[in-house]
Amino acid sequence: MALYAAAAAVLAGVESRQGSLKGLVYGSSFQNVKQLYALVCETQRYSAVLDAVIASAGLLRAEKKLRPHLAKVLVYELLLGRGFKGRGGRWKPLLDRHQARLKAELARLKVRRGVSQNEDLLEGGSKPGPASQVPRFVRVNTLKTCSEDAVDYFKRQGFSYQGRASSLEDIRALKGKCFLLDSLLPELLVFPARTDLHEHPLYQAGHLILQDKASSLPAMLLAPPPGSHVIDACAAPGNKTSHLAALLKNQGKIFAFDLDAKRLASTATLLARAGVSCCELAERDFLEVSPSDQRYRRVQYILLDPSCSGSGMLTRQLEEPGPSVPSQERLRALAAFQQRALSHALTFPALRRLVYSTCSLYQEENEDVVRAALQRSPAAFRLAPVLPSWPHRGLGTFPGAEHCLRASPETTLTGGFFVAVLERVEVPSSVSQAEASAPEVTPSPAPKRKKRRRKATAAPSSQPDM
């Protein structure tokens, strides 16, 4: 019930201009931010349809205590969402009483408009675009389990494992309870778009991390070997931090910084659930962290994913399907901060590899920031050529920009993203040659599709039986 009340409060806040949808979601007390964001976005997308159905069914006239925004959320879940699945609290019996009438009014609305699908009821600007077709990517947390065991668990739950994806077409064809192993990241599972795993026992126990493929690239490309010291400069909400810890096998040290106390607390919760023990969290501005501090003398790897416009975020694209361009003033301010952060990161004396990433689509926050940083350190760092087969490259605004990676729903079936890998031209003398050899990233064999004779087990309440 807390989910629906929180979603109703966010919708009411957006309507009364108390803040942006994203800001209100992050400002709520509901812990599962992604689940709340998804529910609010979808309810808002169908807002006009829900208003029409609720009015025709006379729901608010019959139920005086039911507030309009809560009614909208509940009716969305009943008619267009995934049902209450044991949730709904005291409102579920109330909705059950009106279920037949609500479904009849939805059917009449389709007949009047001459459509057969729910999505056909949407206005042109609200119809699903490429962002709504992006699959559900799920990263297996190798601190707690392995891909093969996760695949077996889903198979015992009735999912059909299709092996390793060989093309984007394999992913586009996913439907129902089918899933794949990603072709690039050996610990990434791929499910059909809108697959909801927030209530799945593996997710709740920290065995799975719900993380888009593009968001999984930075840690993979940084590739710190176990035992390394790493800085995660802008760590919240923690998905990339947990990925770094998995790559380190909890051996070494992650210094994770973020200025937002509330988001840092959520990060701590996520890391604890994921079994991360090698991370030191600090509520601190990365720009104030001194490269000469002896605590960071062994830091050779930095992941910098700074605040950005968020223009590539799937939730942002679903929330605002039309063009939403930030002002030039805001873009300049963001780019100035990003340039300061990147230039600062490059001054750490033992640094030899850095990944700069954003979930922005704008050149000002991406290629322009990287070019400015390289111009300040022309002899010290260079862009590393990575993933030559990746289909979407950086904009050709300067020589070498093709080594950067871009991602989008249209070209890579992921969220909008940008990644650049900077490496030191010469390894600092304080770093041994043995430490300087980073491991190659090579996909591991895909778990076999052959069924095992293993007795199916009931879904556990807390710790999954892997």
Side-chain angles (χ1 to χ4, degrees):
M1 179 56 200
L3 169 63
Y4 304 124
V10 170
L11 288 173
V14 170
E15 188 175 295
S16 60
R17 299 187 179 277
Q18 294 175 17
S20 68
L21 190 152
K22 180 182 178 184
L24 292 170
V25 166
Y26 274 101
S28 78
S29 58
F30 190 76
Q31 282 206 330
N32 195 328
V33 172
K34 289 186 177 181
Q35 185 183 22
L36 176 60
Y37 206 133
L39 177 60
V40 173
C41 285
E42 285 300 291
T43 302
Q44 190 178 57
R45 194 159 72 99
Y46 280 94
S47 180
V49 174
L50 294 168
D51 284 339
V53 170
I54 289 169
S56 299
L59 179 63
L60 296 178
R61 292 194 302 272
E63 304 293 343
K64 304 293 187 185
K65 294 183 179 180
L66 184 60
R67 308 309 302 161
H69 294 101
L70 180 58
K72 193 177 291 188
V73 173
L74 293 172
V75 173
Y76 168 80
E77 190 78 313
L78 176 69
L79 299 182
L80 307 170
R82 299 183 177 276
F84 293 109
K85 296 181 182 177
R87 298 189 298 257
R90 65 192 179 99
W91 298 111
K92 186 178 183 300
L94 181 150
L95 265 293
D96 286 343
R97 291 200 298 271
H98 297 271
Q99 182 173 176
R101 181 67 184 272
L102 289 165
K103 287 184 174 179
E105 292 302 331
L106 178 63
R108 289 191 187 99
L109 185 61
K110 289 179 181 177
V111 170
R112 286 199 301 272
R113 298 190 183 179
V115 300
S116 58
Q117 302 296 319
N118 292 333
E119 289 179 346
D120 293 334
L121 291 169
L122 296 171
E123 300 296 329
S126 298
K127 287 186 178 179
S132 66
Q133 308 305 314
V134 170
R136 162 63 74 189
F137 290 99
V138 180
R139 180 170 58 81
V140 176
N141 177 17
T142 54
L143 291 176
K144 287 196 165 185
T145 186
C146 64
S147 295
E148 187 172 27
D149 284 351
V151 166
D152 283 347
Y153 193 93
F154 277 107
K155 286 162 66 176
R156 297 200 304 271
Q157 288 193 316
F159 286 82
S160 175
Y161 176 54
Q162 305 295 301
R164 187 188 294 277
S166 60
S167 67
L168 288 179
E169 293 310 313
D170 288 348
I171 296 176
R172 286 192 180 96
L174 279 176
K175 60 183 179 180
K177 298 189 75 173
C178 295
F179 71 108
L180 291 159
L181 188 71
D182 184 69
S183 59
L184 179 65
L185 283 85
E187 68 279 10
L188 204 63
L189 305 180
V190 193
F191 292 82
R194 303 183 184 280
T195 300
D196 187 3
L197 296 173
H198 289 92
E199 303 297 327
H200 195 279
L202 293 186
Y203 168 72
Q204 294 187 334
H207 290 229
L208 300 178
I209 308 291
L210 305 184
Q211 184 174 5
D212 185 61
K213 178 176 180 175
S215 176
S216 302
L217 291 176
M220 183 203 79
L221 292 172
L222 189 63
S228 303
H229 282 206
V230 183
I231 282 179
D232 189 351
C234 305
N239 285 339
K240 298 180 188 71
T241 318
S242 68
H243 195 180
L244 288 170
L247 293 170
L248 291 173
K249 300 180 181 178
N250 262 341
Q251 300 168 24
K253 190 76 171 178
I254 300 173
F255 300 97
F257 304 102
D258 206 277
L259 264 177
D260 191 316
K262 190 165 186 177
R263 297 187 74 205
L264 204 63
S266 298
T267 299
T269 301
L270 184 151
L271 297 181
R273 187 172 68 234
V276 174
S277 61
C278 64
C279 184
E280 180 182 299
L281 282 174
E283 184 185 336
R284 193 174 178 189
D285 185 349
F286 172 62
L287 290 173
E288 296 179 358
V289 176
S290 172
S292 61
D293 191 318
Q294 286 300 296
R295 283 178 295 178
Y296 314 121
R297 69 186 185 280
R298 293 177 54 194
V299 169
Q300 296 176 290
Y301 300 88
I302 293 180
L303 195 158
L304 174 60
D305 188 82
S307 299
C308 70
S309 63
S311 50
M313 293 174 61
L314 290 173
T315 46
R316 181 75 55 85
Q317 294 181 44
L318 290 170
E319 176 190 342
E320 303 166 359
S324 178
V325 181
S327 68
Q328 282 300 308
E329 182 181 4
R330 172 160 169 75
L331 271 181
R332 282 194 295 268
L334 285 168
F337 162 72
Q338 292 152 358
Q339 287 179 22
R340 289 197 306 273
L342 181 52
S343 296
H344 180 65
L346 294 178
T347 63
F348 280 74
L351 178 68
R352 64 183 200 80
R353 192 172 180 90
L354 177 146
V355 168
Y356 173 79
S357 63
T358 74
C359 52
S360 168
L361 304 176
Y362 296 111
Q363 174 187 324
E364 292 90 335
E365 300 180 88
N366 297 328
E367 289 88 355
D368 290 357
V369 171
V370 172
R371 177 175 58 182
L374 289 173
Q375 286 174 344
R376 290 190 185 96
S377 308
F381 290 91
R382 67 184 177 191
L383 275 171
V386 293
L387 302 183
S389 62
W390 188 260
H392 196 171
R393 315 304 297 189
L395 303 177
T397 57
F398 64 94
E402 69 277 4
H403 295 323
C404 301
L405 307 180
R406 279 179 167 263
S408 70
E410 296 84 357
T411 59
T412 56
L413 284 180
T414 67
F417 218 77
F418 174 86
V419 186
V421 181
L422 285 75
E423 61 182 10
R424 192 180 289 274
V425 176
E426 291 185 7
V427 177
S429 57
S430 60
V431 181
S432 72
Q433 201 62 36
E435 290 176 314
S437 55
E440 292 293 324
V441 179
T442 55
S444 61
K448 295 179 181 178
R449 295 178 60 185
K450 184 175 70 175
K451 292 184 178 180
R452 296 183 176 184
R453 292 184 179 178
R454 183 180 294 183
K455 202 170 186 179
T457 58
S461 58
S462 59
Q463 191 72 6
D465 179 13
M466 298 288 294

